[in-house]
Amino acid sequence: MTLDMNELVSLCKRRGFIFQSSEIYGGINSCWDYGPLGVELKNNIKRLWWNAMVNREDIEGIDASILMHPKVWEASGHVAGFTDPLVDCKKCKHRFRPDQLTEKKCPDCSGELTEMRQFNLMFKTFMGPIEDESSIVYLRPETAQGIYVNFLNVQTTLRHKIPFGIAQIGKAFRNEITPGNFIFRTREFEQMEMQYFVKPGSDEQYFDHWKEERLKWHKSLGLNPKKLQFHEHTKGELAHYAKKAFDVQYEFPFGWQEIEGIHNRTDFDLSRHQQYSGKSLQYFDEATKEKYTPYVIETSVGCDRTLLACLIDAYHEEEAKDEKRSVLRFHPKLAPIKVAFFPLIKNAGLQELTHKLQEMVRPFYLTRYDEAASIGRRYRRQDEIGTPLCVTVDFDSLKDEAVTVRDRDSMKQDRVNMTQLMEFLRKKLEA
Ligand code: GAP
């Protein structure tokens, strides 16, 4: 089944995952707002990444400022080189990347196009009340630079020996010429980046290590392994800072595309920051008495793109009891809501017991209560948002102290004693 992206966009809106930004004003191109379920899904992805990257002895987390000293972006090479080629239509003023055009005329109005020029993708703004050249600051186009400028702060305060890493999750901004494919390419997005500082000479070994680790992480989200692959950058594709780079790609309905980049950035960034700041960023190895500028192995994954891959991968349409059901088969650790609670009908005794059971589970898992419509309709609603388990309280429950637990994927129903319920849910959700 090839998923129709419009269907996914519509489900995301209908069920509160993702809304168009500023929709009541007609929306703003390529900006999206995460709704109540979307933000849970996104937080789950971020938490899983953070646990995998920071819950270990050799990596620390930070949260650096989005606005940085403008010299950072001169040193990083972004002021001079973070550009895309661009042409404008002289008639309708629309902008295009020339490499994506098949004709020499505007595809929208057949108007004449300007000569190609380079367009810097960084968003500019002004710091302070005076809007002139001296007050220009940039919205960071990658979170990585916040890590490089803090390399020595972290290394010395936490007394780390090389190799060690610094991880960060945060917003990045790029004035993309051709955003699109829903949340795949946007102008504001979130990155989860880790920079691993190593001794020059050991960089290739750590590059190979992190490349494999990162693919494993994507598989651990439950993504179909057949839809994941590596793509090695050719010389022409390599970013200005990279000696070697591999993308982890996912097979989207619009083709194989990058979700993560693993880069060997050599000592490019630290050396440039030393040069532009005049401050040494060298590491002194106490044991060998050597002083050197570390190399950096970077892993850089887009949170929004990973979320899109998870949504697409989980989306299934199937026949169930003569009707179509849409189901998001999320891995339980990704599912926004883990357990839904239903009284069979609106009856005071059933409602009270259902609330009591929900309160028992609430401290451990995100839950929802639903008593509107038939049980079948309520199951379908939870299937569509990917809730792995539904607990139904019926009249027998008042006598035999057991409830029905229904599984999203198999649609199998188990009768479970209430005293065993927590254990049963935990086993299913953490299997
Ligand atoms: N620090 C290295 C770096 O930023 P990148 O390959 O340009 O490398 C890393 O970006 C990841 O960030 C990409 O794999 C992608 O998941 C995400 N990303 C980049 N540009 C994006 C955009 N315009 N919209 C959404 N995600 C984006």
Side-chain angles (χ1 to χ4, degrees), residues 89-306:
C89 171
K90 291 183 182 168
K91 201 163 140 201
C92 71
K93 310 290 178 212
H94 289 174
R95 290 179 159 175
F96 307 95
R97 279 180 59 148
D99 53 336
Q100 290 170 353
L101 292 176
T102 46
E103 309 261 330
K104 290 210 164 87
K105 292 271 175 192
C106 170
D108 292 346
C109 74
S110 300
E112 196 188 334
L113 299 172
T114 59
E115 286 292 305
M116 187 195 83
R117 64 195 168 91
Q118 291 295 330
F119 170 75
N120 195 297
L121 299 182
M122 282 198 293
F123 277 98
K124 275 184 202 169
T125 186
F126 301 95
M127 187 168 271
I130 314 284
E131 297 192 3
D132 64 13
E133 280 291 311
S134 67
S135 62
I136 289 178
V137 288
Y138 300 96
L139 301 189
R140 66 181 176 199
E142 61 171 10
T143 62
Q145 301 301 325
I147 293 181
Y148 302 136
V149 298
N150 279 298
F151 160 66
L152 271 193
N153 284 340
V154 176
Q155 190 263 317
T156 52
T157 51
L158 279 294
R159 300 196 323 279
H160 270 289
K161 289 196 172 64
I162 282 203
F164 81 97
I166 305 178
Q168 155 159 248
I169 300 178
K171 290 264 183 171
F173 303 82
R174 295 181 190 176
N175 202 358
E176 300 279 3
I177 298 168
T178 49
N181 283 323
F182 195 23
I183 54 168
F184 178 80
R185 179 171 287 108
T186 52
R187 295 190 171 116
E188 172 180 343
F189 54 96
E190 224 164 341
Q191 289 187 314
M192 307 187 286
E193 297 199 306
M194 192 280 294
Q195 316 294 323
Y196 204 70
F197 300 93
V198 305
K199 189 172 178 183
S202 64
D203 49 310
E204 290 181 13
Q205 165 204 335
Y206 284 109
F207 181 88
D208 291 343
H209 169 80
W210 279 112
K211 181 182 141 226
E212 296 306 324
E213 283 300 301
R214 295 307 305 146
L215 183 64
K216 270 192 229 157
W217 183 79
H218 289 284
K219 290 183 183 165
S220 78
L221 298 181
L223 291 177
N224 180 353
K226 292 201 184 104
K227 288 183 170 250
L228 289 166
Q229 70 177 22
F230 282 124
H231 162 75
E232 181 169 9
H233 282 209
T234 58
K235 279 224 159 63
E237 288 174 288
L238 281 176
H240 61 275
Y241 50 72
K243 165 177 155 188
K244 191 171 182 183
F246 272 74
D247 292 339
V248 177
Q249 293 186 326
Y250 178 78
E251 191 179 15
F252 288 93
F254 42 90
W256 286 97
Q257 297 285 346
E258 168 186 354
I259 48 177
E260 170 151 9
I262 297 109
H263 311 117
N264 182 343
R265 294 180 73 133
T266 68
D267 59 358
F268 176 84
D269 302 274
L270 291 184
S271 299
R272 295 272 292 194
H273 285 304
Q274 296 189 87
Q275 187 190 333
Y276 279 72
S277 68
K279 303 266 160 40
S280 167
L281 292 176
Q282 288 203 312
Y283 169 78
F284 180 67
D285 187 330
E286 289 285 352
T288 61
K289 307 291 177 213
E290 280 175 288
K291 212 173 182 186
Y292 59 84
T293 306
Y295 269 36
V296 169
I297 306 303
E298 168 182 68
T299 73
S300 173
V301 55
C303 185
D304 313 80
R305 275 194 199 173
T306 306

Side-chain angles (χ1 to χ4, degrees), residues 6-42:
N6 292 331
E7 204 146 313
L8 186 75
V9 175
S10 127
L11 179 140
C12 283
K13 177 176 177 185
R14 199 170 64 246
R15 303 313 313 274
F17 281 91
I18 300 168
F19 307 121
Q20 193 178 13
S21 167
S22 322
E23 195 182 5
I24 59 167
Y25 289 97
I28 171 165
N29 192 11
S30 98
C31 296
W32 301 92
D33 296 342
Y34 287 85
L37 295 183
V39 74
E40 292 296 339
L41 177 57
K42 202 177 189 197

